[in-house]
Amino acid sequence: MKVDVNGRTFEEEPRPGQCLRTYLRERGWFGVKKGCDQGDCGACTVHVDSEPVHSCLYPAFRADGHRVTTVEGLAAPDGELHPVQQKFLDAQGFQCGFCTAGFLMTTAALDEDKLADLPRAFKGNLCRCTGYRAIEDAVRGVKNVEAPAPGESVGRSLPAPAGPQVVTGTARYTFDIDVPGLLHMKLLRSPHAHARILAIDTSAALRVPGVQAVFTHHDAPERHFSTARHEHPEEDPDDTRVLDDTVRYVGQRVAAVVADSEAAAEEGCRRIEVTYEELPAVLDPEEAMRPGAPVVHDKDAGTARISRPQDNVVGEAHGEIGDIAAGFAEADVVYEETFRTQRVQHASLETHGAVAWIDEDGRLTVRTSSQTPFLTRRALCTLYDLSEEQVRVMAGRVGGGFGGKQEMLVEDIVALAVLRLRRPVKLEYTRAEQFYGATTRHPFTIRVKAGARRDGTLTALQLRVVANTGAYGNHGPAVMFHSVGESMAVYRAAHKQVDAYSVYTHTVPAGAFRGYGLGQVLFAVESALDELARQLGLDPLEFKARNIIGADEPMLTPGGHEEDLHIASYGLDQCLSIVRRAQAQPGEPAPEGWLLGEGAALAMIATGPPGGHIADAKATLLPDGTFDLAVGTAEFGNGTTTVHQQIAAGELATTVDRITIRQSDTDVVRHDTGAFASTGTVVAGKATLRAARALADQLLDFAAAQLGVERANCRLTEEAVLHPGGRLLLKEVYAASRAVGLALAADGHFGGTPRSVAFNAHWFRVAVDPGSGEIRILRSVHAADAGKVMNPMQCRGQVEGGVAQALGATLLEQVLLDERGAVDTAAFRRYRLPQYADVPRTEVHFMETADAIGPLGAKSMSESPFNPVAPALANALRDATGVRFTEVPLLRDRVWRELERHSGSRRPLGSP
């Protein structure tokens, strides 16, 4: 074997059956990524003799005698970027960046004919973050970035600081490190939806050469916990063990094998003999609540924090404002219907995984793909009776999250192995495990009833919500409570009622997912109000505009008003104006024989969770006159690193390139709750603002004292303090401060309260083919009230990515279970993610508002774009066809069947 990789010759023979991807990564070419295991995502794309190949499918031995180029070898030997790399930098054609190397390698091999047909050219590459527009901009040579200016960073489209590393393949994700003596873990998983483990024989597994240990429930702590990560752990039920003697869904981990290689660990799993006693299982949440149903968790309600274990209800909410019966009695028109939403996988291209070791100080050190390193450390300390000083948790660059990594799904079992063996251990999920061993979005069933008077006044709004949380209650109660919050509060109605249930079943657990329940309930509420308006003969958008709350009105839900939640800036009226403007503009006609329709929906979301969300930051002057900024928030394409850098640069009157960021490491700052609930800019950004502002004050105070001048006569500039006599360089300020034993550094803190709300509206014009059920999006418009937009380019990308992910959930994606409750769609080729050809360009408009609570007027805008997309598309489909679709996804065959079912009995297609 002799292969040239990026100009270096390697002669090591590959292992039997080894693919080129692992061969390259084992030799340090970490730009080659693992995303799917089956050649579906393109993250592992490399060139073999200038031809792009998916290296996960390419046998390593076939590279013998060939020249292989990875993304690290794309640039010139002198370091000058390849033109394609420069284009991706100029356009910022990435977010988390995990897919970027694959797109770069594919793009670099395109000729003119292929460049003219990008939908076909990119059939083999997936992106979960961007919505593809920024990638197309990169390919076409569009420059989206602006140049930095001293003290004028906020509000500018500045590039991500890690951009050069992303496009050269040198950005380091979770497993892009070389750990000497590394052991590999594989998990044996349950074949049963519900069973008791009577015996486990591990003797044959331990005889497999290379197997170092096998862990079962006998080795696990007795303590129960929740995999969900929240600042207040009591929000979640304690129903999970590291390894349990009862399994509650197909795919639950039963044992862990640790070996010298993945192959040995896998063989060890195959050799374990488990004796199960199968138990009755329940897969449907409505059935789970009926008397006599199998109990999923027979635990004490108080200690486990489960609402009604005997009824499989993990959490519930009941409340009424006014008199709901009176509200319907005074209505002239009432609409009632049941809506259903499906399981959706997060499908972050970097799967869950962690690598851990004992460092030179004897501390447990965990490197993990997590949105919550600080909360994970806290959980590990509690689980294994360790102090926080004994545990360090850090995240590298995270390859996508979307809420799925607001969980502790791997760190606990890896820590168990490391603490026992005192050797480094790695666990990396396969793509299949990501489907049946991680979490999904909660499937919801929503019964909505709404009433209104003939003048368009909404009189009553009633919801019955059942959320299937699966076998474990991680996030179940919180998602359920949130789902019926802002979805009802955004509308003014004298009478409201909610009955909501989060229910256990013997199925794959659900968890946190972008929108956190709001998207599911808004699909029902926005569809129902659209239908109610049609029955009244009113324009649906006008009907909603009459009934939305105003800037000075309380946000009322049957669960009560959250005292720390405020409308600190109001842009919903502007959002609706954008939609009206789009409606009024002439559009592309539908193809002959197709039906044309338009539809809109709106959404409101709280910035951050109730009860507080903590962020700490520290800004420090460095010896060379530049600055260090330490923040806890993880970067996974959310863009918080860029925004924090911009905020700090603005306060310190410098440029972003003079701000070095250290982040997502429990050794860096005191505490950070985590990068979830749309808090990266608003909460951690406010902590950054306070730290940078305090440091600026320190610099001016110290310089004025040193110079013997009034502070009012001093001013910070890019690299100096200006004063009446000239300027004092910041590196001179540093030297002078150190000479008197003073460190110029400042801390910033924000507790996440009070909170504000953000608003969004989406509008579609669609064409529908009644002969096939195909939906073609002719125009997509999104209006976003994000307050002061910190980085327009980046925020636009967040909106586009949210819309694209929501379109996937609306039109394509569904995690299917078989009759046993096993996941039947455990691969990308069976689970249909949106590809480049599937995602239309969305016109993004930002409203002119400034929030009174957020840093420098900013509000959240990472989750909220997802929420109005499904109802807006369903409303457009209703407008085109006259048929109300009550279930997503709106698959082509489902649409066709429904149109056929209505064809003989309904009003003409397109009628009100």
Side-chain angles (χ1 to χ4, degrees), residues 84-102:
V84 169
Q85 291 172 312
Q86 189 61 55
K87 287 180 178 180
F88 269 74
L89 262 187
D90 291 342
Q92 292 287 280
F94 52 86
Q95 284 183 29
C96 84
F98 200 79
C99 70
T100 304

Side-chain angles (χ1 to χ4, degrees), residues 1 12-27 59-61 184 260-264:
M1 175 80 171
E12 297 93 338
E13 290 293 323
R15 297 187 301 277
Q18 185 174 26
C19 69
L20 182 58
R21 184 197 72 211
T22 58
Y23 185 86
L24 293 170
R25 286 186 59 82
E26 286 173 4
R27 281 144 191 84
F61 77 86
H184 300 266
D260 296 338
S261 68
E262 289 190 10

Side-chain angles (χ1 to χ4, degrees), residues 215-236:
F215 298 99
T216 71
H217 64 271
H218 297 295
D219 305 292
E222 293 288 340
R223 184 176 285 123
H224 286 82
F225 64 97
S226 173
T227 64
R229 301 270 57 83
H230 283 114
E231 180 61 36
H232 305 290
E234 62 273 13
E235 295 179 12
D236 308 300

Side-chain angles (χ1 to χ4, degrees), residues 373-381 388 391-393 666 670:
F374 287 82
L375 298 186
T376 298
R377 177 182 65 173
R378 178 190 290 171
L380 292 175
C381 289
E388 289 193 350
V391 181
R392 178 187 183 187
V393 177
T666 58
R670 291 192 303 271

Side-chain angles (χ1 to χ4, degrees), residues 352-432:
H352 281 82
V355 56
W357 60 90
I358 302 297
D359 71 11
E360 61 275 10
D361 297 321
R363 293 194 305 168
L364 172 65
T365 303
V366 182
R367 181 180 172 93
T368 176
S369 184
S370 174
Q371 296 172 228
T372 58
F374 287 82
L375 298 186
T376 298
R377 177 182 65 173
R378 178 190 290 171
L380 292 175
C381 289
T382 301
L383 195 55
Y384 294 111
D385 295 316
L386 301 169
S387 68
E388 289 193 350
E389 290 71 28
Q390 293 176 283
V391 181
R392 178 187 183 187
V393 177
M394 55 184 151
R397 191 172 177 89
V398 177
F402 318 113
K405 293 173 181 175
Q406 193 193 338
E407 306 271 358
M408 186 173 70
L409 298 179
V410 294
E411 299 91 343
D412 58 326
I413 189 74
V414 172
L416 172 66
V418 171
L419 291 170
R420 294 290 184 89
L421 300 174
R422 314 300 288 184
R423 289 185 61 184
V425 176
K426 167 190 173 182
L427 171 60
E428 182 178 15
Y429 275 14
T430 64
R431 178 53 57 185

Side-chain angles (χ1 to χ4, degrees), residues 365 483 786 814 890 898:
T365 303
S483 73
Q814 54 180 343
L890 300 169
E898 197 67 13

